[in-house]
Amino acid sequence: SKKYIELRYKLMPYLYNAFNDAAETGSPVQQPLVYQFQEDEKTYDINDQFMFGDSLMAAPVVEEGVMKRDVYLPEGASWVDFWTGEEFDGGQSISRDADLGTMPLFVKQDSIIPTREVQQYTGELPLENLILDTHLENEASYSFYEDDGATEDYKDGEYNVTNFNVVKKNKKIEFTNEQVVENYKTDLSSYTLKLHDQSKPKKVQAASSKYKEVKSLEEVKATKESYFFDKKQSILYVNVPASEDKKVQIKF
């Protein structure tokens, strides 16, 4: 229970945006697979898997005593095991172990999932660093909505919207952020771009500003315009200041 309560708090920015989308457009937070994958007839009758927001797919175990289950990965996307990072093509069924602490959970490739640090309760800590958990094949984008989370001031236009885009071009990845609505005083001071399945970069820079390589995840979170490559997990972390629109180039 503790594991999934903490995951909920990490995913709070993602969930808040999903509920905002639901309020604005009617798009369900929990979507049947056919909602996104209408061209894949195999999704039509699946009722024990669902999309959780636009980028996560959950396949819970719903039978007592069962320790594994078959999971269908819809055609039209590639998929990544949330827990192991293993990648799969869509349009196939796979068998996944599901012990008591591991619900099968998958990320749709070319997704940005905004997350944050764990809290003990909602609103305990200000959102100062937004982690952009990114699985990239070609190009991923996300429009991040933010308000005070407590009042109805958003009805008077007091909210922010920031567009993020990450694109892979040959041996280079480009990250851009653009604030398209800026009517709310945010606590955000930095973004941590978290890129899965990467190699160590030769250079990270924004315009003429060269980013500093640091030696730990803790250090990169505390140091603006820095990056850290976790060789063991093949994850690249880049700290980008949130104070202005940026284009960051990562060269390999």
Side-chain angles (χ1 to χ4, degrees):
S1 294
K2 181 175 184 289
K3 175 180 177 178
Y4 287 98
I5 289 170
E6 288 185 347
L7 179 60
R8 172 185 176 268
Y9 279 111
K10 288 181 182 178
L11 289 171
M12 193 63 73
Y14 177 73
L15 297 176
Y16 198 83
N17 273 256
F19 276 96
N20 182 66
D21 286 344
E24 293 290 331
T25 70
S27 176
V29 176
Q30 293 174 263
Q31 307 165 2
L33 299 188
V34 68
Y35 184 82
Q36 283 197 40
F37 302 98
Q38 298 182 25
E39 301 301 318
D40 185 349
E41 294 183 1
K42 293 181 180 179
T43 65
Y44 293 2
D45 297 319
I46 294 176
N47 57 18
D48 61 353
Q49 296 176 221
F50 59 93
M51 294 298 297
F52 190 41
D54 289 336
S55 300
L56 290 171
M57 181 179 67
V61 173
V62 294
E63 298 178 21
E64 184 178 359
V66 172
M67 300 296 287
K68 65 165 49 180
R69 63 156 294 167
D70 290 336
V71 178
Y72 181 68
L73 305 173
E75 190 174 8
S78 299
W79 299 89
V80 181
D81 188 303
F82 181 85
W83 306 110
T84 68
E86 189 175 0
E87 299 180 13
F88 301 91
D89 293 329
Q92 63 171 323
S93 292
I94 60 173
S95 179
R96 301 311 277 166
D97 292 332
D99 61 77
L100 186 61
T102 310
M103 179 183 72
L105 190 62
F106 295 82
V107 183
K108 186 170 66 175
Q109 278 278 33
D110 283 338
S111 289
I112 299 173
I113 299 174
T115 65
R116 62 166 299 156
E117 78 275 27
V118 173
Q119 303 178 88
Q120 296 305 306
Y121 57 88
T122 302
E124 179 196 15
L125 301 170
L127 178 58
E128 297 177 337
N129 175 252
L130 184 68
I131 302 166
L132 303 171
D133 201 345
T134 304
H135 292 266
L136 184 67
E137 271 190 327
N138 299 298
E139 184 173 4
S141 60
Y142 192 90
S143 185
F144 179 70
Y145 171 89
E146 182 188 18
D147 61 25
D148 65 18
T151 72
E152 294 189 349
D153 289 350
Y154 68 92
K155 292 182 178 179
D156 296 323
E158 293 188 26
Y159 61 87
N160 295 339
V161 177
T162 305
N163 290 341
F164 301 109
N165 187 257
V166 187
V167 59
K168 183 181 291 185
K169 298 178 179 179
N170 300 321
K171 293 184 178 181
K172 180 172 66 176
I173 290 175
E174 285 188 354
F175 165 79
T176 56
N177 65 282
E178 179 187 9
Q179 195 153 36
V180 292
V181 179
E182 188 177 2
N183 295 321
Y184 166 67
K185 187 176 180 180
T186 180
D187 292 312
L188 268 174
S189 62
S190 64
Y191 309 119
T192 298
L193 179 61
K194 180 181 179 182
L195 291 163
H196 293 262
D197 193 27
Q198 299 299 322
S199 57
K200 185 175 180 178
K202 295 179 179 177
K203 182 167 61 175
V204 179
Q205 67 181 62
S208 60
S209 178
K210 189 175 180 181
Y211 279 39
K212 176 185 177 183
E213 182 180 5
V214 295
K215 297 181 179 180
S216 69
L217 179 55
E218 291 72 21
E219 194 176 355
V220 79
K221 287 181 179 179
T223 309
K224 290 185 178 180
E225 297 191 343
S226 66
Y227 69 94
F228 166 64
F229 178 64
D230 185 333
K231 183 177 179 180
K232 185 176 181 180
Q233 299 190 57
S234 298
I235 296 176
L236 175 63
Y237 299 88
V238 182
N239 185 310
V240 181
S243 57
E244 57 187 44
D245 295 351
K246 288 278 187 179
K247 176 183 283 187
V248 179
Q249 292 189 337
I250 304 166
K251 297 181 180 179
F252 298 92

